[in-house]
Amino acid sequence: MLPCFTKQILGVDCPGCGLQRSLLFLIKGEFISAFLMYPAIYPMLLLFGFLGLNKLYPIKHSNAITITLMVSTVGFILTNYILKFI
C-alpha cells in the first residue's frame, strides 16, 4: 500500500487516510469494516458509479444529482476528518 506522505511528514492524518484500506475491505467483502475504516467510501463509490453511468446513458437532471452526490461525499469526508481529531 502507498504510504501517506502527509502523515509521514507532518504527523497527522490527511482527509484521505483510510481510503486504500477501505477499498481492500470492500474487495474482501467486509462491508461494515470498510465503512468503519472510511465512511465516505460509499458516497464516493455512488458518485463515481453515477458519473460512469451518466457517460453511457445520459440521465435527465444529471447536473443536480452530481452536485448532490459531490456535496454529500465532501460532507462525509470532512465529517470523518473532523471526528478523527475529537
Side-chain angles (χ1 to χ4, degrees):
M1 294 183 66
L2 297 173
C4 179
F5 294 112
T6 304
K7 192 168 187 171
Q8 287 180 343
I9 294 170
L10 300 177
V12 295
D13 287 346
C14 70
C17 279
L19 179 62
Q20 290 181 40
R21 291 172 289 186
S22 180
L23 284 173
L24 285 177
F25 281 133
L26 276 179
I27 291 170
K28 293 179 182 179
E30 299 177 22
F31 302 110
I32 295 172
S33 296
F35 178 79
L36 294 174
M37 180 61 61
Y38 194 71
I41 190 72
Y42 292 118
M44 190 179 297
L45 288 176
L46 189 62
L47 172 64
F48 291 142
F50 177 76
L51 291 173
L53 183 67
N54 190 39
K55 284 288 185 190
L56 296 174
Y57 307 104
I59 299 170
K60 190 176 181 180
H61 305 293
S62 63
N63 286 340
I65 296 169
T66 301
I67 289 170
T68 303
L69 289 173
M70 288 171 57
V71 168
S72 67
T73 301
V74 169
F76 268 88
I77 292 170
L78 290 178
T79 302
N80 181 45
Y81 187 63
I82 291 168
L83 290 176
K84 282 183 181 181
F85 293 109
I86 295 178

